Each structure stands twice: as structure tokens, then as C-alpha cells.
Amino acid sequence: MLKYLTEKSPSEIDVLIIGGGLVGGCLAAALADTPLRVGVVDHAVPKIAPSNAFDGRAFAVSLSNKKLLQAVGLWGTLNETSAPIRDIRVSDGSSMFFLHFDHKVVGEEPMGFMVENIYLRQAIYALLEKKKNIRKFSPNFVRHLQRDRSGAVVRLSDGQEIRAQLVVGADGRESQIRKECGIGLTSWNYNQTAIVCTVQHGRGHSYIAQERFLPSGPFAILPLHGEPKEAANRSSIVWTERNEIAPSLRVLSEKDFLAELAVRFQTFLGELKVVSPVYFYPLKLQFARCVIDRRTVLIGDASHSMHPIAGQGLNMGLRDVAALAEVLVDAYRLGMDIGDTAVLQRYNKWRRFENTMMIATTDVLNRLFSNNIGPLRVARDAGLAIVNSISPLKRHIIRHAMGLTGNVPKLLEGKPL
Ligand SMILES: Cc1cc2nc3c(=O)[nH]c(=O)nc-3n(C[C@H](O)[C@H](O)[C@H](O)COP(=O)(O)OP(=O)(O)OC[C@H]3O[C@@H](n4cnc5c(N)ncnc54)[C@H](O)[C@@H]3O)c2cc1C
């Protein structure tokens, strides 16, 4: 039987989420209107975190994850600040072959939405503040984690103790919870850095996302919202460079940086201007060897961190949220112990295969396209041309990108738990 760490009676909670970022925050939102008692611990003060200087990323969120954000009450303000992705155009360097994915092949809805990190974080913060039944323990981190068959007791850095049925590690790539559980990683460096910034261009982007495969890595131009809507002319750039080159780009003057950017961007959208700070993200693959442990489960980047080539890291994390929330609520309704291994195994089986496949796919795509090897170039150009000409295959790829394939949890269909 588990003993409390001190004599003081600890707070009683069902699900204690460590990491109230994008994925952990969404899980809290998903569980907010269920009978489960939820707590969120984050070492950052959430109110000051979403400042402009915090992070320049914008995420391509699939249509099914937009439905999840809507179902858990996070989409409201994002409707005004996100941009639909109508089409996607993929090309290989200067090759004449390309792939064009048109959303109309599947229906009227866009393939996904570009959501800026700052707005998603603000939406999560506002919702968690409103939900009085979600207990917030920030700024704080876990000083001690003790678990046994009857529950978990967590001691926080400010001395508070919390007794929980389940501890969720949503604390990102460097997950402390993963380390506490002794869960190992499969990981390697890509020797690539993603350079992220926002640009403004002379002409509207028509809500088309562009991905160019250049020898040093993919270069993505992703449409952002803007006014007037029909002529929105801001885009998010994710420019992948080899690690040997990235530091020299960091020290360029604004004018020289713009000149380097313009070579890759090309002139199809008119005059170009960088309108944000420039951020550098070293890229690494990480995959936790398992995602469940006694009364503990990992979600989001704590469990899998992948190359941004296909914009899938957050999407996979949100799919973790949808599956875990459904598993926990089902178990609660059946009167089961939500921290029991059998319950956590259901989550593990649901998510493990898809996460493994996605991590492998992004890795292979990056290896295949981030080079200038002649025979490979010929093979992939042939591949682009063939896929572009087979309508059923294109349709399947679009449905996959929209998150509409596989065993879809209720929240991804916009249904309540
Ligand atoms: C350049 C780039 C572009 C990307 N583009 C896309 C895209 O288009 N689409 C997409 O789906 N994905 C994309 N991703 C991936 C996406 O950014 C991540 O998958 C996502 O941010 C993971 O969210 P998370 O909540 O799991 O982790 P994080 O966002 O890292 O959040 C972790 C949270 O835990 C807190 N925390 C950390 N440690 C502790 C601790 N010890 N104690 C308490 N709290 C702690 C942190 O403060 C934070 O709030 C991109 C990634 C990069 C690098």
C-alpha cells in the first residue's frame, strides 16, 4: 500500500497531466467536462509563455484534429486566426515533375488549417482558466514520483503533494516523466536545422501550401491567415538546412538573410519581406521504447518527436489525446481503475502502430528527398509523376493527410466522449 510522502493529506486527483503545453493542455480540455478530476502541472507560468517572442511556429493541423479542437471547445477564437489549407503542391528542386493535391478531390472541406502556436496556446490558456474543475499547479515541476498498485503520489517543487490514479507525461521532448520511469529512447540526429520565420509577400497565397524538396532538406511555404481573407499574403516558412550551414545563416544581416531566403522561395508570390524573428530548431528523431508504465502514460513529443517534413508531430500528439481521453472515460464509466495496466494497454495498442508508421514515414521521406543523388532524383521524380497521375492513390493520400483514415477516436469525428 502506497504511503504518502509527508503527513499532510495530499490533493486527490484522477488524472495528473505533467506538461500543460499543446498536447497536455488539449488533454485537459478534452477531460474538462467529464467526471474525472484533472490537474495540470507545468514548469512555465502559462500566462507569460504565449508571448510573441516565445515561438515562431505555425502548425498544419489536419481536418480531423480541427474537429477535435472544436469538440473540446478550443476552436472558437482559432476560427478567426487560422488559415484553411485548400491545396498542397509538392515539387523536387527545380524538376518539372510535381504533385498537386486538391481538397476538392475529397469534398468541400479544406485539407487542414494553419494554426499559429501563439493563438493555440492562448486558446488553451483561456479555456483552462475558465474551467474551474481543472486544478492548475504552475509554475511547478515534479520533485518526486512514487507509484504502486493503489495509486501515484507526486511531490511538486513547491512542496505540494498530489495523489492521482494516473500520471500523464505530456512534458515534451526532454520528458522528465519518461526519464523517471526509466523508459529508453530510440533516437538519432538529422544533422539538419529547421529555420522558421513568417514572411509577407506581394501577392495572395490562395491558401496553397508548397513543399519543395531541396538537397539540404525540405523548404515549406505555409499559408497564414490575413486580411482581406481573399488576398491573405502572409506565410510561415520552415526551411531545413544542414547543421554545417545553419550557423552561418544565423549571423547574416537582415538583407543577406532575405536574399538567401528569396533564392529558395522564388518569385511566384511577388516581393518578399521577413516580418518575424527567425527561429532555429535542431532536428532529431526520438521514439520512446514504450509509452506506458505503472500508472503512467506518455503522450505527444514525450513519446514521439519526428521530422517536420510532413507536419505531423502535433497531429500525432492530438490523436494521442483523442484516443487516451476516450479510453479513460470508457474505463471510468465501466467502474474500472483508470490507472490499471489493462486500461493503459488499450491506449498503447490504439496509438503505437500509427505513431511507429508515421515516424518511419517521415524518416524515409527525409532520407529519400534530402539529397542530390542522380539515380534517386530520377526515381523520386518518376514517383511524383506516377502518384500525380493516379487519382485513387492521390485521394487516399489526401484522406490520410486529413486524418480521416484508420481507427478514428470519437473526438476526431467531432463527437463528444
Ligand atoms: C520547425 C517545426 C515545425 C513543426 N511543424 C508542425 C506542423 O506543421 N504540424 C504538426 O503537427 N507538428 C509540427 N511540429 C511538431 C510540434 O511542434 C510538436 O509535435 C508539438 O509542439 C509537441 O507538443 P507537446 O505538447 O507534446 O510538447 P511541447 O510543446 O514541448 O510542450 C511540453 C510542455 O511541457 C512543459 N514541461 C516540460 N518539461 C516539464 C517538466 N519537467 N515539468 C513540468 N512541465 C514541463 C513545457 O513547459 C511545455 O508546456 C513542428 C515542429 C518543429 C520543430
Short mmCIF file of all heavy atoms in Angstrom, two decimals, residues 254-306:
data_model
loop_
_atom_site.label_atom_id
_atom_site.label_comp_id
_atom_site.label_asym_id
_atom_site.label_seq_id
_atom_site.Cartn_x
_atom_site.Cartn_y
_atom_site.Cartn_z
N GLU A 254 19.96 41.22 -42.02
CA GLU A 254 18.57 41.01 -42.48
C GLU A 254 18.51 40.94 -44.01
O GLU A 254 17.82 40.10 -44.59
CB GLU A 254 17.69 42.15 -42.01
CG GLU A 254 17.16 41.93 -40.60
CD GLU A 254 16.29 43.08 -40.13
OE1 GLU A 254 15.54 43.65 -40.95
OE2 GLU A 254 16.37 43.40 -38.93
N LYS A 255 19.28 41.83 -44.64
CA LYS A 255 19.25 41.93 -46.10
C LYS A 255 19.81 40.65 -46.73
O LYS A 255 19.22 40.08 -47.66
CB LYS A 255 20.09 43.15 -46.52
CG LYS A 255 20.05 43.48 -47.96
CD LYS A 255 20.63 44.88 -48.19
CE LYS A 255 21.08 45.01 -49.63
NZ LYS A 255 22.50 44.87 -49.82
N ASP A 256 20.92 40.16 -46.19
CA ASP A 256 21.54 38.95 -46.76
C ASP A 256 20.69 37.71 -46.48
O ASP A 256 20.60 36.80 -47.31
CB ASP A 256 22.96 38.77 -46.20
CG ASP A 256 23.89 39.85 -46.73
OD1 ASP A 256 23.52 40.50 -47.74
OD2 ASP A 256 24.96 40.07 -46.13
N PHE A 257 20.06 37.68 -45.29
CA PHE A 257 19.18 36.55 -44.98
C PHE A 257 18.01 36.51 -45.97
O PHE A 257 17.67 35.46 -46.52
CB PHE A 257 18.65 36.67 -43.54
CG PHE A 257 17.76 35.52 -43.15
CD1 PHE A 257 18.29 34.31 -42.72
CD2 PHE A 257 16.37 35.63 -43.25
CE1 PHE A 257 17.46 33.24 -42.38
CE2 PHE A 257 15.54 34.57 -42.92
CZ PHE A 257 16.08 33.37 -42.48
N LEU A 258 17.44 37.69 -46.21
CA LEU A 258 16.31 37.76 -47.15
C LEU A 258 16.75 37.29 -48.55
O LEU A 258 16.01 36.58 -49.24
CB LEU A 258 15.78 39.20 -47.20
CG LEU A 258 14.61 39.44 -48.15
CD1 LEU A 258 13.39 38.63 -47.71
CD2 LEU A 258 14.23 40.91 -48.21
N ALA A 259 17.97 37.66 -48.93
CA ALA A 259 18.46 37.27 -50.26
C ALA A 259 18.57 35.75 -50.36
O ALA A 259 18.16 35.13 -51.36
CB ALA A 259 19.80 37.93 -50.53
N GLU A 260 19.09 35.11 -49.29
CA GLU A 260 19.21 33.63 -49.27
C GLU A 260 17.83 32.99 -49.32
O GLU A 260 17.60 32.00 -50.01
CB GLU A 260 19.94 33.18 -48.00
CG GLU A 260 21.43 33.37 -48.03
CD GLU A 260 22.10 32.48 -49.07
OE1 GLU A 260 21.60 31.38 -49.35
OE2 GLU A 260 23.13 32.91 -49.63
N LEU A 261 16.92 33.58 -48.54
CA LEU A 261 15.55 33.04 -48.48
C LEU A 261 14.89 33.15 -49.85
O LEU A 261 14.24 32.20 -50.33
CB LEU A 261 14.75 33.84 -47.44
CG LEU A 261 13.31 33.44 -47.18
CD1 LEU A 261 13.28 32.11 -46.42
CD2 LEU A 261 12.59 34.49 -46.37
N ALA A 262 15.09 34.30 -50.50
CA ALA A 262 14.42 34.57 -51.79
C ALA A 262 14.87 33.57 -52.87
O ALA A 262 14.08 33.18 -53.73
CB ALA A 262 14.69 36.00 -52.22
N VAL A 263 16.12 33.12 -52.79
CA VAL A 263 16.62 32.15 -53.78
C VAL A 263 15.77 30.87 -53.70
O VAL A 263 15.40 30.27 -54.71
CB VAL A 263 18.10 31.80 -53.49
CG1 VAL A 263 18.57 30.64 -54.35
CG2 VAL A 263 18.97 33.02 -53.69
N ARG A 264 15.43 30.48 -52.47
CA ARG A 264 14.65 29.24 -52.30
C ARG A 264 13.16 29.46 -52.51
O ARG A 264 12.45 28.62 -53.02
CB ARG A 264 14.91 28.67 -50.89
CG ARG A 264 16.33 28.14 -50.76
CD ARG A 264 16.84 28.23 -49.33
NE ARG A 264 18.19 27.70 -49.23
CZ ARG A 264 19.30 28.44 -49.37
NH1 ARG A 264 19.22 29.73 -49.62
NH2 ARG A 264 20.49 27.88 -49.25
N PHE A 265 12.69 30.63 -52.08
CA PHE A 265 11.25 30.94 -52.15
C PHE A 265 10.80 31.14 -53.60
O PHE A 265 9.70 30.78 -53.99
CB PHE A 265 10.99 32.22 -51.34
CG PHE A 265 9.55 32.48 -51.02
CD1 PHE A 265 9.03 32.15 -49.78
CD2 PHE A 265 8.70 33.06 -51.95
CE1 PHE A 265 7.70 32.40 -49.48
CE2 PHE A 265 7.37 33.32 -51.67
CZ PHE A 265 6.87 32.98 -50.42
N GLN A 266 11.68 31.75 -54.37
CA GLN A 266 11.42 32.15 -55.76
C GLN A 266 10.42 33.30 -55.83
O GLN A 266 10.00 33.80 -54.79
CB GLN A 266 11.00 30.95 -56.61
CG GLN A 266 12.12 29.90 -56.64
CD GLN A 266 11.71 28.60 -57.27
OE1 GLN A 266 10.59 28.43 -57.72
NE2 GLN A 266 12.64 27.67 -57.29
N THR A 267 10.03 33.67 -57.04
CA THR A 267 9.35 34.97 -57.18
C THR A 267 7.83 34.87 -57.40
O THR A 267 7.18 35.87 -57.63
CB THR A 267 9.95 35.71 -58.39
OG1 THR A 267 9.88 34.81 -59.50
CG2 THR A 267 11.38 36.12 -58.16
N PHE A 268 7.28 33.63 -57.31
CA PHE A 268 5.88 33.45 -57.75
C PHE A 268 4.86 34.24 -56.93
O PHE A 268 3.73 34.46 -57.35
CB PHE A 268 5.54 31.96 -57.80
CG PHE A 268 5.38 31.34 -56.44
CD1 PHE A 268 4.14 30.93 -56.01
CD2 PHE A 268 6.46 31.19 -55.59
CE1 PHE A 268 3.97 30.37 -54.75
CE2 PHE A 268 6.31 30.64 -54.33
CZ PHE A 268 5.07 30.23 -53.92
N LEU A 269 5.22 34.67 -55.69
CA LEU A 269 4.27 35.45 -54.87
C LEU A 269 4.68 36.92 -54.75
O LEU A 269 4.20 37.63 -53.87
CB LEU A 269 4.11 34.82 -53.49
CG LEU A 269 3.32 33.49 -53.44
CD1 LEU A 269 3.28 32.95 -52.03
CD2 LEU A 269 1.91 33.66 -53.99
N GLY A 270 5.57 37.35 -55.60
CA GLY A 270 5.93 38.77 -55.61
C GLY A 270 6.99 39.11 -54.57
O GLY A 270 7.68 38.23 -54.05
N GLU A 271 7.04 40.39 -54.24
CA GLU A 271 8.10 40.87 -53.35
C GLU A 271 7.99 40.26 -51.95
O GLU A 271 6.88 40.10 -51.41
CB GLU A 271 8.03 42.39 -53.26
CG GLU A 271 9.37 42.98 -52.86
CD GLU A 271 9.27 44.49 -52.67
OE1 GLU A 271 8.47 45.11 -53.39
OE2 GLU A 271 9.96 45.00 -51.78
N LEU A 272 9.13 39.96 -51.36
CA LEU A 272 9.17 39.19 -50.10
C LEU A 272 9.75 40.05 -48.97
O LEU A 272 10.70 40.80 -49.17
CB LEU A 272 10.11 38.01 -50.37
CG LEU A 272 10.03 36.79 -49.48
CD1 LEU A 272 8.63 36.18 -49.56
CD2 LEU A 272 11.07 35.76 -49.96
N LYS A 273 9.17 39.87 -47.75
CA LYS A 273 9.68 40.60 -46.58
C LYS A 273 9.58 39.67 -45.36
O LYS A 273 8.53 39.02 -45.18
CB LYS A 273 8.76 41.82 -46.39
CG LYS A 273 9.31 42.87 -45.49
CD LYS A 273 8.53 44.17 -45.73
CE LYS A 273 7.95 44.67 -44.44
NZ LYS A 273 6.90 45.66 -44.62
N VAL A 274 10.63 39.60 -44.55
CA VAL A 274 10.57 38.79 -43.32
C VAL A 274 9.92 39.66 -42.25
O VAL A 274 10.40 40.77 -41.99
CB VAL A 274 11.98 38.33 -42.89
CG1 VAL A 274 11.91 37.55 -41.58
CG2 VAL A 274 12.62 37.48 -43.98
N VAL A 275 8.85 39.18 -41.61
CA VAL A 275 8.11 40.03 -40.66
C VAL A 275 8.09 39.46 -39.24
O VAL A 275 7.22 39.80 -38.44
CB VAL A 275 6.66 40.28 -41.17
CG1 VAL A 275 6.66 41.14 -42.41
CG2 VAL A 275 5.92 38.96 -41.40
N SER A 276 9.01 38.55 -38.94
CA SER A 276 9.07 37.99 -37.58
C SER A 276 10.52 37.74 -37.24
O SER A 276 11.38 37.77 -38.13
CB SER A 276 8.32 36.65 -37.54
OG SER A 276 9.11 35.66 -38.19
N PRO A 277 10.80 37.44 -35.96
CA PRO A 277 12.15 36.95 -35.66
C PRO A 277 12.37 35.62 -36.39
O PRO A 277 11.41 34.97 -36.82
CB PRO A 277 12.13 36.74 -34.14
CG PRO A 277 10.95 37.49 -33.64
CD PRO A 277 9.96 37.55 -34.76
N VAL A 278 13.63 35.21 -36.50
CA VAL A 278 13.94 33.93 -37.16
C VAL A 278 14.33 32.94 -36.05
O VAL A 278 15.14 33.27 -35.18
CB VAL A 278 15.10 34.10 -38.17
CG1 VAL A 278 15.41 32.78 -38.85
CG2 VAL A 278 14.72 35.16 -39.21
N TYR A 279 13.72 31.77 -36.08
CA TYR A 279 13.97 30.75 -35.04
C TYR A 279 14.69 29.56 -35.65
O TYR A 279 14.44 29.19 -36.80
CB TYR A 279 12.64 30.28 -34.43
CG TYR A 279 11.84 31.39 -33.79
CD1 TYR A 279 10.98 32.18 -34.56
CD2 TYR A 279 11.94 31.65 -32.44
CE1 TYR A 279 10.25 33.21 -33.98
CE2 TYR A 279 11.21 32.68 -31.85
CZ TYR A 279 10.37 33.45 -32.63
OH TYR A 279 9.65 34.46 -32.05
N PHE A 280 15.56 28.93 -34.86
CA PHE A 280 16.33 27.78 -35.33
C PHE A 280 16.02 26.57 -34.45
O PHE A 280 16.16 26.64 -33.23
CB PHE A 280 17.84 28.09 -35.27
CG PHE A 280 18.26 29.11 -36.29
CD1 PHE A 280 17.98 30.46 -36.11
CD2 PHE A 280 18.95 28.73 -37.44
CE1 PHE A 280 18.36 31.41 -37.06
CE2 PHE A 280 19.34 29.67 -38.39
CZ PHE A 280 19.04 31.01 -38.19
N TYR A 281 15.59 25.47 -35.05
CA TYR A 281 15.27 24.25 -34.30
C TYR A 281 16.13 23.08 -34.80
O TYR A 281 15.91 22.60 -35.92
CB TYR A 281 13.81 23.84 -34.51
CG TYR A 281 12.81 24.81 -33.95
CD1 TYR A 281 12.32 25.85 -34.74
CD2 TYR A 281 12.35 24.69 -32.64
CE1 TYR A 281 11.40 26.76 -34.23
CE2 TYR A 281 11.44 25.59 -32.13
CZ TYR A 281 10.97 26.62 -32.93
OH TYR A 281 10.07 27.50 -32.43
N PRO A 282 17.09 22.60 -34.00
CA PRO A 282 17.84 21.41 -34.41
C PRO A 282 16.89 20.21 -34.49
O PRO A 282 16.02 20.05 -33.62
CB PRO A 282 18.85 21.20 -33.27
CG PRO A 282 18.72 22.39 -32.38
CD PRO A 282 17.43 23.07 -32.66
N LEU A 283 17.01 19.40 -35.52
CA LEU A 283 16.04 18.32 -35.73
C LEU A 283 16.60 16.95 -35.30
O LEU A 283 17.74 16.62 -35.59
CB LEU A 283 15.61 18.28 -37.19
CG LEU A 283 14.92 19.55 -37.68
CD1 LEU A 283 14.56 19.44 -39.15
CD2 LEU A 283 13.67 19.87 -36.85
N LYS A 284 15.72 16.20 -34.69
CA LYS A 284 16.11 14.93 -34.09
C LYS A 284 14.91 14.00 -34.13
O LYS A 284 13.78 14.47 -33.97
CB LYS A 284 16.45 15.28 -32.63
CG LYS A 284 17.20 14.26 -31.86
CD LYS A 284 17.55 14.91 -30.52
CE LYS A 284 18.09 13.89 -29.57
NZ LYS A 284 18.25 14.40 -28.23
N LEU A 285 15.15 12.72 -34.35
CA LEU A 285 14.05 11.75 -34.21
C LEU A 285 14.16 11.15 -32.81
O LEU A 285 15.26 10.83 -32.35
CB LEU A 285 14.19 10.66 -35.27
CG LEU A 285 13.21 9.47 -35.19
CD1 LEU A 285 12.89 8.98 -36.59
CD2 LEU A 285 13.73 8.33 -34.35
N GLN A 286 13.04 11.00 -32.16
CA GLN A 286 13.02 10.35 -30.84
C GLN A 286 11.77 9.51 -30.73
O GLN A 286 10.68 9.98 -31.06
CB GLN A 286 12.93 11.42 -29.75
CG GLN A 286 14.22 11.99 -29.32
CD GLN A 286 14.10 12.81 -28.04
OE1 GLN A 286 15.06 13.42 -27.67
NE2 GLN A 286 12.96 12.85 -27.39
N PHE A 287 11.93 8.30 -30.27
CA PHE A 287 10.76 7.42 -30.12
C PHE A 287 10.93 6.64 -28.82
O PHE A 287 11.91 5.89 -28.66
CB PHE A 287 10.71 6.47 -31.33
CG PHE A 287 9.38 5.84 -31.54
CD1 PHE A 287 8.20 6.53 -31.30
CD2 PHE A 287 9.29 4.53 -32.00
CE1 PHE A 287 6.96 5.95 -31.50
CE2 PHE A 287 8.05 3.94 -32.21
CZ PHE A 287 6.89 4.64 -31.96
N ALA A 288 10.01 6.84 -27.89
CA ALA A 288 10.11 6.14 -26.60
C ALA A 288 9.92 4.64 -26.83
O ALA A 288 9.05 4.24 -27.61
CB ALA A 288 9.04 6.67 -25.65
N ARG A 289 10.75 3.83 -26.16
CA ARG A 289 10.67 2.37 -26.40
C ARG A 289 9.34 1.80 -25.94
O ARG A 289 8.90 0.78 -26.42
CB ARG A 289 11.84 1.66 -25.70
CG ARG A 289 13.18 2.16 -26.21
CD ARG A 289 14.12 1.03 -26.60
NE ARG A 289 15.24 1.62 -27.32
CZ ARG A 289 16.39 1.99 -26.75
NH1 ARG A 289 16.58 1.80 -25.46
NH2 ARG A 289 17.33 2.54 -27.48
N CYS A 290 8.70 2.43 -24.94
CA CYS A 290 7.30 2.07 -24.62
C CYS A 290 6.63 3.33 -24.09
O CYS A 290 7.32 4.29 -23.73
CB CYS A 290 7.20 0.90 -23.67
SG CYS A 290 7.77 1.27 -22.04
N VAL A 291 5.31 3.34 -24.08
CA VAL A 291 4.62 4.57 -23.69
C VAL A 291 3.77 4.40 -22.44
O VAL A 291 3.11 5.34 -22.01
CB VAL A 291 3.76 5.16 -24.83
CG1 VAL A 291 4.64 5.58 -25.98
CG2 VAL A 291 2.69 4.20 -25.29
N ILE A 292 3.77 3.19 -21.88
CA ILE A 292 3.04 3.02 -20.62
C ILE A 292 3.95 2.37 -19.59
O ILE A 292 4.83 1.59 -19.94
CB ILE A 292 1.73 2.20 -20.81
CG1 ILE A 292 2.02 0.83 -21.41
CG2 ILE A 292 0.73 2.94 -21.67
CD1 ILE A 292 0.80 -0.08 -21.45
N ASP A 293 3.71 2.75 -18.36
CA ASP A 293 4.45 2.18 -17.25
C ASP A 293 3.45 2.18 -16.08
O ASP A 293 2.32 2.62 -16.23
CB ASP A 293 5.67 3.08 -16.95
CG ASP A 293 6.70 2.37 -16.11
OD1 ASP A 293 7.06 1.23 -16.44
OD2 ASP A 293 7.15 2.97 -15.11
N ARG A 294 3.87 1.71 -14.92
CA ARG A 294 2.92 1.64 -13.82
C ARG A 294 2.25 3.00 -13.57
O ARG A 294 2.93 3.98 -13.29
CB ARG A 294 3.63 1.17 -12.56
CG ARG A 294 2.71 1.12 -11.37
CD ARG A 294 3.37 0.49 -10.19
NE ARG A 294 3.24 -0.96 -10.24
CZ ARG A 294 3.58 -1.77 -9.24
NH1 ARG A 294 4.10 -1.28 -8.14
NH2 ARG A 294 3.42 -3.07 -9.36
N ARG A 295 0.94 3.05 -13.76
CA ARG A 295 0.13 4.27 -13.51
C ARG A 295 0.64 5.51 -14.25
O ARG A 295 0.43 6.64 -13.82
CB ARG A 295 0.04 4.57 -12.00
CG ARG A 295 -0.65 3.49 -11.26
CD ARG A 295 -1.28 3.89 -9.98
NE ARG A 295 -2.13 2.79 -9.53
CZ ARG A 295 -3.40 2.65 -9.84
NH1 ARG A 295 -4.00 3.56 -10.57
NH2 ARG A 295 -4.10 1.60 -9.43
N THR A 296 1.32 5.27 -15.34
CA THR A 296 1.90 6.39 -16.10
C THR A 296 1.75 6.13 -17.59
O THR A 296 1.86 4.99 -18.04
CB THR A 296 3.41 6.51 -15.80
OG1 THR A 296 3.60 6.35 -14.41
CG2 THR A 296 3.97 7.86 -16.23
N VAL A 297 1.49 7.21 -18.33
CA VAL A 297 1.39 7.08 -19.77
C VAL A 297 2.03 8.31 -20.41
O VAL A 297 2.00 9.40 -19.84
CB VAL A 297 -0.11 6.90 -20.17
CG1 VAL A 297 -0.97 8.06 -19.71
CG2 VAL A 297 -0.29 6.74 -21.66
N LEU A 298 2.66 8.11 -21.58
CA LEU A 298 3.29 9.23 -22.29
C LEU A 298 2.46 9.60 -23.51
O LEU A 298 1.98 8.71 -24.22
CB LEU A 298 4.70 8.84 -22.76
CG LEU A 298 5.70 8.39 -21.71
CD1 LEU A 298 7.02 8.00 -22.37
CD2 LEU A 298 5.94 9.48 -20.66
N ILE A 299 2.35 10.92 -23.77
CA ILE A 299 1.66 11.38 -24.98
C ILE A 299 2.49 12.50 -25.63
O ILE A 299 3.32 13.11 -24.99
CB ILE A 299 0.21 11.87 -24.70
CG1 ILE A 299 0.22 13.05 -23.71
CG2 ILE A 299 -0.66 10.75 -24.18
CD1 ILE A 299 -1.17 13.69 -23.52
N GLY A 300 2.19 12.77 -26.91
CA GLY A 300 2.84 13.87 -27.61
C GLY A 300 4.34 13.65 -27.76
O GLY A 300 4.82 12.51 -27.84
N ASP A 301 5.09 14.76 -27.78
CA ASP A 301 6.54 14.68 -28.02
C ASP A 301 7.27 13.91 -26.92
O ASP A 301 8.39 13.46 -27.14
CB ASP A 301 7.14 16.08 -28.16
CG ASP A 301 7.03 16.60 -29.59
OD1 ASP A 301 6.16 16.11 -30.34
OD2 ASP A 301 7.83 17.50 -29.96
N ALA A 302 6.68 13.75 -25.76
CA ALA A 302 7.31 12.93 -24.72
C ALA A 302 7.44 11.50 -25.22
O ALA A 302 8.36 10.77 -24.84
CB ALA A 302 6.47 12.97 -23.44
N SER A 303 6.53 11.12 -26.10
CA SER A 303 6.54 9.75 -26.61
C SER A 303 7.16 9.65 -28.01
O SER A 303 7.83 8.68 -28.34
CB SER A 303 5.10 9.23 -26.57
OG SER A 303 4.71 8.59 -27.73
N HIS A 304 6.94 10.67 -28.85
CA HIS A 304 7.46 10.61 -30.24
C HIS A 304 7.74 12.02 -30.74
O HIS A 304 6.89 12.89 -30.66
CB HIS A 304 6.43 9.94 -31.16
CG HIS A 304 5.03 10.43 -30.93
ND1 HIS A 304 4.61 11.68 -31.32
CD2 HIS A 304 3.97 9.86 -30.32
CE1 HIS A 304 3.34 11.84 -30.98
NE2 HIS A 304 2.93 10.76 -30.35
N SER A 305 8.93 12.23 -31.23
CA SER A 305 9.26 13.53 -31.80
C SER A 305 9.84 13.26 -33.19
O SER A 305 10.81 12.53 -33.33
CB SER A 305 10.28 14.21 -30.88
OG SER A 305 10.79 15.35 -31.48
N MET A 306 9.19 13.84 -34.21
CA MET A 306 9.55 13.43 -35.58
C MET A 306 9.97 14.62 -36.44
O MET A 306 9.78 15.78 -36.06
CB MET A 306 8.39 12.68 -36.22
CG MET A 306 7.08 13.42 -36.26
SD MET A 306 5.67 12.33 -36.64
CE MET A 306 5.37 11.49 -35.09
#
